[in-house]
Structure formats: C-alpha cells, structure tokens
Amino acid sequence: MQITGKISEVRSQVKEWKREGLTVGFVPTMGYLHEGHGSLMKRARSECDKVVASIFVNPMQFGANEDLDSYPRDLEADAKLCESIGVDLIFHPEVEEMYAEGFCSFVDMNGLTKELCGKSRPIHFRGVCTVVNKLFNIVTPDKAFFGQKDAQQLAVIRRMVKDLNMDVEIVGCPIIREEDGLAKSSRNTYLNEEERKAALILSRTIRLGEKLVSEGVKDAGELVAAMKANIEKEPLAKIDYVEAVSMDDIEKVDTIGKNTLVAMAVYIGKTRLIDNFIVES
Ligand code: PAF
C-alpha cells in the first residue's frame, strides 16, 4: 500500500492504472477510521480493481467554533485498517497541498443545504462540495463511496455530480452501528462513560421513529414531536434538530412517504452526533 501527500503522485499512479484498463474506487475520509469507513472501503474493494482512500481533515468545512483543532487524528492506525482491507493508495495531503496560497474558488450549492446540518452549520457544505470536487479531480475515480449516516452529505454530493456533469458514480452505503445501536462516528471518541450511555438516546429514538412509521404514522409533525419528546427524556441530550425531509431535495415534508429522510442532530454534552433513517415504502 502506497501513502502519499502529493497530488502529482496520486495523479501519475491513477493514470498508470487507467492505462492498464483498471477501475478505481475512491473513499474520501477525514481519518480516525472506524468500521463505518471500513465498510465503504470493503465495498470499494469488492466493486473496483484499485482502491484509493483520502485522509484529510478539511478546514474549509468546519465553522469558527467547531472542532477542527480537536478533531481526532491517528494516521498509523488508519493506515493499518486500510492495509488490512486491501486499499492500494492513501492520499494524505497537508492543508497547503490542497489549498495553495491565493486559493479562491469554491463549489456552492443553493438547494439541499438549507435544512438539517446546512441550517446549523452554514458554511459546512460549501467546504464539503469544494473539497470533494477537488478530490474527484485529483483521483478521477470511477466510483466513490459515501455513508448513509451523513445522509444530507450524500444527497448533496449526488446533486453536485449531476449538476456539474461529473463522471463518477456515487455509491451510498448503509449506516454501521456499535453492538448497542450507536451509529459509528469518529466523534464518539469525545464521549465520556456517562455521555456514551446517554448517546444511545439517538439510536433508540431512530428505532422509535421507525416503529411509529411502521404502525402507520404519516403526519411529519406528529412523528417529529414524538421523537423530540423521547430525546428530551435524556438529561444530557440537547436537540439541534429533528426533521423529516424529502431525500431528493432535502426540503421539509408534511407527510411521511417513500424516500422521506428522518434525520436528527443531538448534542450529548459538547459532542454533536447525527443519526437518521429513510422510509423505504
Ligand atoms: O464525510 C466526511 O468525512 C467528509 O465530509 C468528507 C466527505 C471526507 C469531505 O471532507
């Protein structure tokens, strides 16, 4: 497995693979990898000849008061996980390599970013779209793999690829959970013992939401109210949002139906966690 921080080295390696007629799968990450990332890499491994993973904590997608500086990093452990899955190349650039002096071009999206995380993190998706666009230009993958846990991000990336005619297939992959239900996240590491227990309120509330929908609740207001009331029972939890939106345009819906995304962001202490489910039928 090759590890490089140089854009030029990624480009020449990928060009060589493409000359040989090999397909390239790409998993963009911010590192501190867990089984959720691992599942994306395994999927890429099973669908493509070569797999590239990027590890880059992208400053542009963090707001001024967010956790850029404390975001966990462990390249050695990340490299071990990648190697064990059969990743061929890790791209691990410095900030200066990605954003050279004078950088002033951005990818901005007017739709899909007004609700959910876009509402509470106003510059977040501009940063995500810009860096993912750059990474796609560097890696030129045939397929790129994203987790459903960041459901809004997945919808935003799909739309960017469609709107900008980018030649890459986006593959969405299921949420991976701890045994007790908590969705895997690099940010789970911020939780102390008490908070880790309290964080189960997210997955429990997701299960409650799914149950209510399966029992026939169609009114989005009723569903969201029941879910919020459940979260409020946990003293360490503070709701950022619970919303029901359409998966296609991330606009609020009044009625729950096929492709409704029911998503939440909840602070447990200082740690902001997200979770969601999609109504299948
Ligand atoms: O989902 C993430 O880890 C990041 O938002 C991504 C896609 C790697 C862009 O920095």
Side-chain angles (χ1 to χ4, degrees):
M1 185 180 68
Q2 195 183 334
I3 305 184
T4 178
K6 294 271 165 275
I7 293 171
S8 57
E9 286 181 15
V10 177
R11 281 198 203 284
S12 59
Q13 177 60 86
V14 172
K15 268 190 195 143
E16 199 179 308
W17 287 334
K18 293 209 165 171
R19 261 199 305 273
E20 292 167 24
L22 302 174
T23 57
V24 176
F26 177 44
V27 182
T29 81
M30 297 206 300
Y32 215 71
L33 304 176
H34 49 69
E35 279 171 48
H37 299 108
S39 73
L40 305 181
M41 291 169 187
K42 283 179 191 157
R43 180 87 178 261
R45 181 68 285 153
S46 73
E47 293 190 15
C48 305
D49 298 318
K50 294 290 176 186
V51 178
V52 179
S54 63
I55 297 178
F56 177 61
V57 182
N58 173 35
M60 200 190 283
Q61 69 189 70
F62 287 79
N65 299 318
E66 293 184 354
D67 56 345
L68 173 62
D69 292 338
S70 57
Y71 198 84
R73 293 156 167 91
D74 187 346
L75 183 61
E76 210 177 301
D78 289 349
K80 266 194 200 139
L81 182 81
C82 290
E83 181 120 59
S84 73
I85 293 171
V87 168
D88 297 283
L89 171 62
I90 294 180
F91 177 44
H92 178 55
E94 295 294 332
V95 174
E96 297 71 32
E97 179 78 356
M98 289 298 280
Y99 300 114
E101 216 186 311
F103 183 91
C104 59
S105 305
F106 301 89
V107 179
D108 223 336
M109 194 173 285
N110 278 334
L112 284 84
T113 57
K114 298 204 166 58
E115 303 295 336
L116 313 183
C117 292
K119 199 189 258 175
S120 22
R121 306 183 70 192
I123 57 124
H124 177 68
F125 286 113
R126 184 193 210 224
V128 170
C129 286
T130 302
V131 81
V132 171
N133 198 327
K134 284 170 66 67
L135 290 166
F136 284 177
N137 286 336
I138 294 163
V139 178
T140 63
D142 297 281
K143 294 186 181 188
F145 299 79
F146 291 84
Q148 186 62 54
K149 184 169 80 70
D150 296 291
Q152 186 174 20
Q153 170 171 280
L154 178 56
V156 162
I157 300 290
R158 282 193 200 286
R159 180 59 66 90
M160 175 181 79
V161 163
K162 182 164 179 261
D163 285 356
L164 302 183
N165 307 97
M166 301 168 91
D167 193 13
V168 53
E169 184 187 328
I170 303 301
V171 182
C173 302
I175 297 177
I176 304 295
R177 298 181 179 279
E178 302 286 354
E179 257 177 43
D180 61 9
L182 181 67
K184 299 240 181 201
S185 163
S186 307
R187 291 189 169 100
N188 290 349
T189 179
Y190 296 151
L191 302 168
N192 65 30
E193 208 178 317
E194 198 190 357
E195 290 169 340
R196 175 64 184 74
K197 279 188 201 137
L200 289 179
I201 196 64
L202 279 94
S203 50
R204 288 194 183 130
T205 305
I206 290 296
R207 285 204 294 274
L208 171 71
E210 286 173 327
K211 181 168 165 281
L212 291 172
V213 172
S214 75
E215 286 168 2
V217 172
K218 289 259 178 270
D219 183 80
E222 184 186 337
L223 179 71
V224 166
M227 291 175 70
K228 281 185 170 170
N230 195 56
I231 297 168
E232 278 158 4
K233 286 187 210 153
E234 169 50 62
L236 292 185
K238 194 170 134 273
I239 296 172
D240 179 3
Y241 66 75
V242 180
E243 276 183 35
V245 299
S246 151
M247 188 60 202
D248 302 326
D249 58 9
I250 315 288
E251 293 286 345
K252 275 190 189 165
V253 294
D254 295 328
T255 309
I256 306 293
K258 190 170 159 52
N259 270 342
T260 299
L261 164 68
V262 183
M264 61 168 75
V266 177
Y267 284 93
I268 302 293
K270 288 197 172 121
T271 306
R272 184 175 175 280
L273 299 175
I274 57 175
D275 206 340
N276 68 73
F277 70 97
I278 295 173
V279 179
E280 305 283 345
S281 57

